[in-house]
Amino acid sequence: MQHYIVKLTLAIITLSIALGIITDGVQGEITDGLSPRSCLEIRYSYAPNVTPKNGLYAIFTKDNQMQPAYCDFQSDPPFVWTLVESFTRQLGRYTSKLPGAINFRKPYYYNAPYNECSPQFKAYRLGKATMTSIADAPRTTHWRATCNFGNKTSFPMNHRDYMRASMCRYNIMKIYSAGPGCYFIDYVNVRGYTCRKCQLPIFVSPSYHMTFISSRATDYCQRWVFPSPYHTSPQECNFGLFNGYNTKHECSATKLSTTNYWFGGVYQPATKLVNYHLL
């Protein structure tokens, strides 16, 4: 029965791509076999020496409901990532009046799906149940934020304008109010300025998306400095909110620049011990 559903879904997704319902080059394949809850679990269905192509795959929620998802197997080895949200600067800006903008002003504690069945980079957000299923999958350990992923053609990618954190250190699914909170981040790069394993101020509230305000990092936590022509007027929001931004940051360079959020973890084949502290 499951094999029949997989084949049917493949036909539907293929037709959707042909009709332009699923856009921005999001394509891939549907996998047979077990019911993977994340792209990382899909990776384990392939031989260690075979890296799948990035694109659209089928994952399953805790209650075994199938969900199309965009998988990144190639950009950030040895990590494998499942896209959970993506939005343009103009859509994610705090003052945006565009249709659907309110969905991208909420932390993941709230259910605010948008284009949930059509993974894309311009305007996409999974529902809370599916996000929770991915976050709670046994191999999911981290989340990351990237910029303009849909435009990248060369992998592995560089880590400019990038953030990665452990779910254990900052559970992005459960924290909905921090103004700011001091949290340990594995790695962050803002316009070429890098901080590794440092404590940074993360801002989030029920009325706005999680963001790192790099221009205010000198005022909080370990007081890291991210040189900028701005300080607090205007402030520089990175990876969301955009109530003030810097056009030299890839996520906010233009109104159509995209911010992409992912859940994932390290692919650890049985035949080789992988050290993932690469950044």
Side-chain angles (χ1 to χ4, degrees), residues 62 107-110 128 131-132 135-136 143 167-168 170-178 183 204 263:
K62 289 179 180 178
Y108 296 159
Y109 181 84
Y110 297 97
K128 183 179 179 181
M131 279 195 192
T132 301
D136 291 347
W143 59 265
M167 286 284 194
C168 180
Y170 182 92
N171 191 328
I172 197 170
M173 287 300 303
K174 294 183 178 180
I175 297 173
Y176 62 90
S177 182
Y183 298 97
V204 65
F263 294 168

Side-chain angles (χ1 to χ4, degrees), residues 13 16-27 56 70 115 117-123:
I13 291 175
S16 298
I17 293 170
L19 294 175
I21 298 171
I22 296 176
T23 59
D24 292 322
V26 177
Q27 53 188 311
L56 190 68
Y70 184 86
N115 286 332
C117 294
S118 302
Q120 56 182 280
F121 292 104
K122 291 181 180 179

Side-chain angles (χ1 to χ4, degrees), residues 9 13 16-17 20-28 30 39 55-59 67-71 82-87 114-126 130 134 150 262:
T9 303
I13 291 175
S16 298
I17 293 170
I21 298 171
I22 296 176
T23 59
D24 292 322
V26 177
Q27 53 188 311
I30 304 298
C39 297
L56 190 68
Y57 292 77
I59 61 173
Q67 172 71 44
Y70 184 86
C71 294
T82 307
L83 183 68
V84 298
E85 183 187 36
S86 188
F87 51 89
Y114 196 88
N115 286 332
E116 185 174 21
C117 294
S118 302
Q120 56 182 280
F121 292 104
K122 291 181 180 179
Y124 170 69
R125 175 167 165 150
L126 287 173
T130 305
I134 298 168
W262 314 73

Side-chain angles (χ1 to χ4, degrees), residues 4-48:
Y4 170 77
I5 295 174
V6 167
K7 294 300 183 183
L8 177 61
T9 303
L10 176 58
I12 293 172
I13 291 175
T14 302
L15 178 61
S16 298
I17 293 170
L19 294 175
I21 298 171
I22 296 176
T23 59
D24 292 322
V26 177
Q27 53 188 311
E29 61 186 85
I30 304 298
T31 56
D32 287 322
L34 301 176
S35 300
R37 291 199 11 217
S38 69
C39 297
L40 179 55
E41 292 189 1
I42 290 174
R43 178 65 183 88
Y44 281 92
S45 68
Y46 287 80

Side-chain angles (χ1 to χ4, degrees), residues 72 74-76 144 146 149 152 154-159 162:
D72 170 27
Q74 300 174 312
S75 77
D76 202 10
R144 73 169 181 177
T146 62
F149 191 87
K152 298 187 186 301
S154 179
F155 301 122
M157 67 181 187
N158 66 49
H159 291 91
Y162 173 104

